Amino acid sequence: MPDDASTSAGSGPSCPLPLRVHETIQMAHGGGGRLMRDLIETVFKRAFMNPALARSHDSAVLAAPAGRLAFTTDSYVVSPLVFPGGDIGKLAVCGTLNDLAMAGAAPLALSAGFILEEGFPLEHLARIVESMQAAAAAAGVAIVTGDTKVVDRGKGDGVFINTAGIGAVPDGVDVGPHRVQPGDVVVLSGDVGRHGVAILSVREGLGFETSIESDCADLSPLVARLTAAGIELHCLRDLTRGGLASALNEIALDGQVEIALDERAIPVSEAVAAASELLGLDPLHVANEGRMIAIVPATEADRVLAAWRGHPAAPDPGVIGRVTGRDHPRVLLLNRLGGTRILDLLSGEQLPRIC
Amino acid sequence: MPDDASTSAGSGPSCPLPLRVHETIQMAHGGGGRLMRDLIETVFKRAFMNPALARSHDSAVLAAPAGRLAFTTDSYVVSPLVFPGGDIGKLAVCGTLNDLAMAGAAPLALSAGFILEEGFPLEHLARIVESMQAAAAAAGVAIVTGDTKVVDRGKGDGVFINTAGIGAVPDGVDVGPHRVQPGDVVVLSGDVGRHGVAILSVREGLGFETSIESDCADLSPLVARLTAAGIELHCLRDLTRGGLASALNEIALDGQVEIALDERAIPVSEAVAAASELLGLDPLHVANEGRMIAIVPATEADRVLAAWRGHPAAPDPGVIGRVTGRDHPRVLLLNRLGGTRILDLLSGEQLPRIC
């Protein structure tokens, strides 16, 4: 058995998966015995194969970068597991790449931890794993270490994935809310609200005339362009749970600054605007998985826009606001009619399990 | 609200937790809004507070070690969450420290990702988090980055925890099944079978006369003693899921060696032996969370024993077997009566959700 498994692992993801369609996860797949070894060889190593993972040890061992290391983790519990524009696998890879990128880091390696529910179809798992590998390969990053646990039917929900990531922070890059200061501007990479609306449209079975795809994407190339150009970066943030509004409120509170946004400058697609109205959502609070802001000195704004222009992950970059002071840490929104209101953190959430 | 939260976060874990006993996890605790921010400030940052985590950013940024980096991940789904000798929090920290140690690495930092079930008592969460912090602090390691997700009631099981870890591998250390060779000996740190039996005794409500405590412990001090002494190490492995038998079978298969064990040399406490007989378990297949083996050249065995002697995590160190050849990758057991049998991987598992 282990010999067969090694053979299929070695022959790479192009050969047909040695699974029968109706095979499902059993408790024993998490038990440390032969079934777990087979699962690792036929599903995980087969897709993720790389020298560090091939060593079959408890930890991957890698060359350390010079200088500083970024380290991050995220668990993914999105429901449904597959949605327009992505699936939990792509999301788990892109989301963690994005967290590294928001520290200004270039990604070095990812880990993958799976919590599988008894009865989950192995074929679905294999597709999710291939989707992870495709997203990691596109970013030029390997998944070098992993773990699998199985929980009883009714104690999980198909599959939960944790990805942790390590990255190298280039010399001279120091980003975070502590760097944000009055006079800075906020540059946004594209239209907001796609991911949350895409998830909700599937979950609620809404038949929107225009199909809205998640913006799920790896943002590290956008950050690489900024650091390569030597642009002075104060803060970077991807607009995940809680959307643009939460990201800016966190920065305002942690950096003790007031940020004023111009609503007219924030792109929202017609389809997202219409769906949000129907669903009672505010697109500024809806999660994105492929949009980011860069907060930079006003004099650097044009260079950010130039760096991003033409990259598919920054479809509509623009300056959407500025840092106006330190007296009142908050986010203000100048709306389309010329009025100003406080754009607050929501107390709870609009959408459960969007990532 | 954020101001209050920051205040309590700053005053450290000695002050009473600002939670009411009946507060429970709500879906909104995972939503990216104010409730999630409060949870992070009052429960997670309060316990884990350290400079990297305090920066409130998507990734922690740390100084990179010189040389090589170890990187590992594990998810923990143990049931019950609290057991004799530990809880899921201590297990999640020690387990990942142990995976780093088994690469020969000294731990640098940990991440923590929580998947919480709606309705889980916040007070239980706070106790688990404090247990994580206690284990991390005892190892001199900080939890520098984290994530929280909430799933609907009935889609999780209280709390699942993922911990990833990074460590520094000392120069000259290269451990793994590829280094194991005929003539090596297997040194075991202490008696086996405690963790799995402790979990099962609680789960099944068995009233053993002697209460059996899990061996859950950080093994990195044992490995630090070996590397500090400059002992030639070929392979290190902690004896988790599947126990001693699985660990050695994996090494035999991955390193293509035959390993012969002397059953009489493998310590099993009387309590564990009695409970195993009652439960129909073989202690050699039962999970441990604080036992390890070192496979070293025979000439180094005495130095391993000397390095470990007197450390509480190595209560009964001894040589239990040797690597006998390369023709038949397998594990042989010389039993108490003088017979020899193959000690195989179990096809499934004895105990679900023991870690």
Side-chain angles (χ1 to χ4, degrees), chain A residues 8 26 36 41 45 48 81 130 146 148-149 172 190 210 232 239 257 274:
Chain A
S8 60
Q26 302 169 37
M36 186 166 114
E41 296 289 345
K45 281 198 181 173
F48 297 153
L81 297 172
E130 280 170 20
T148 308
K149 293 292 188 310
T210 316
E232 185 181 341
L239 311 178
V257 290

XYZ file of all heavy atoms in Angstrom, chain A residues 8 26 36 41 45 48 81 130 146 148-149 172 190 210 232 239 257 274:
133
model
N 2.133 6.982 -6.973
C 1.217 7.986 -7.517
C 1.626 9.380 -7.062
O 1.460 10.348 -7.793
C -0.225 7.689 -7.112
O -0.340 7.700 -5.710
N -13.153 9.111 6.538
C -13.527 8.314 7.706
C -12.731 8.815 8.911
O -11.686 9.441 8.741
C -13.185 6.840 7.460
C -13.859 6.259 6.227
C -13.305 4.894 5.868
O -12.985 4.097 6.742
N -13.190 4.629 4.575
N -4.382 7.199 7.091
C -3.916 8.587 7.108
C -2.691 8.741 6.214
O -2.586 9.709 5.460
C -3.591 9.035 8.528
C -3.238 10.506 8.601
S -3.244 11.109 10.293
C -1.526 11.483 10.505
N -0.334 10.729 1.155
C 0.417 10.449 -0.078
C -0.423 10.715 -1.324
O 0.052 11.318 -2.284
C 0.904 8.987 -0.092
C 1.898 8.635 1.007
C 3.279 9.248 0.811
O 3.587 9.713 -0.297
O 4.052 9.282 1.799
N 0.372 15.121 -0.694
C 1.715 15.191 -1.283
C 1.640 15.194 -2.803
O 2.469 15.791 -3.472
C 2.551 13.991 -0.817
C 3.093 14.176 0.575
C 4.233 13.214 0.813
C 4.777 13.352 2.212
N 5.775 12.313 2.500
N 0.854 18.892 -3.594
C 1.746 19.924 -3.060
C 3.221 19.596 -3.259
O 4.077 20.368 -2.837
C 1.521 20.107 -1.556
C 0.151 20.602 -1.179
C -0.400 20.297 0.057
C -0.584 21.408 -2.040
C -1.648 20.766 0.434
C -1.843 21.882 -1.676
C -2.371 21.555 -0.436
N -18.406 26.040 0.190
C -16.980 25.799 -0.055
C -16.556 26.260 -1.443
O -15.395 26.591 -1.660
C -16.668 24.299 0.106
C -16.891 23.717 1.502
C -16.740 22.199 1.489
C -15.931 24.342 2.514
N -6.140 20.794 -5.021
C -5.571 21.215 -6.311
C -5.733 22.718 -6.516
O -4.858 23.378 -7.078
C -6.208 20.426 -7.462
C -5.570 19.055 -7.588
C -6.289 18.106 -8.555
O -7.053 18.587 -9.417
O -6.070 16.886 -8.424
N 2.187 20.410 6.600
C 0.738 20.308 6.732
C 0.323 19.382 7.854
O 1.151 18.747 8.512
N -3.484 17.033 9.150
C -4.870 16.645 8.889
C -5.502 16.112 10.155
O -4.925 15.251 10.819
C -4.931 15.509 7.842
O -4.184 15.904 6.712
C -6.355 15.242 7.426
N -6.661 16.622 10.484
C -7.451 16.057 11.578
C -8.839 15.737 11.039
O -9.313 16.402 10.113
C -7.579 17.057 12.732
C -6.279 17.367 13.446
C -5.733 16.185 14.213
C -4.531 16.514 15.087
N -3.454 17.246 14.434
N 14.138 48.424 5.077
C 13.580 49.767 4.920
C 12.069 49.803 4.920
O 11.475 50.871 5.011
N -9.260 48.915 -6.145
C -10.345 48.608 -7.086
C -11.699 48.624 -6.401
O -11.808 48.974 -5.224
N -26.899 39.699 -13.249
C -25.476 39.644 -13.510
C -24.850 38.747 -12.449
O -25.081 38.949 -11.259
C -24.840 41.043 -13.339
O -25.685 41.985 -13.964
C -23.450 41.068 -13.943
N 7.557 55.201 -0.351
C 7.453 55.256 1.106
C 6.062 54.789 1.516
O 5.066 55.453 1.238
C 7.713 56.685 1.600
C 7.739 56.753 3.125
C 7.960 58.167 3.657
O 8.449 59.034 2.899
O 7.616 58.401 4.836
N -8.891 44.317 2.549
C -10.207 44.729 3.048
C -11.095 43.517 3.246
O -12.110 43.352 2.575
C -10.824 45.718 2.065
C -9.884 46.855 1.640
C -10.568 47.763 0.633
C -9.393 47.635 2.853
N -5.626 58.222 14.505
C -5.764 59.265 13.477
C -7.209 59.361 13.008
O -7.996 58.419 13.163
C -4.879 58.962 12.231
C -3.390 59.122 12.555
C -5.174 57.582 11.658
N -26.478 47.111 -6.812
C -27.874 46.663 -6.905
C -28.138 45.517 -5.936
O -29.147 45.509 -5.214
C -28.175 46.237 -8.343
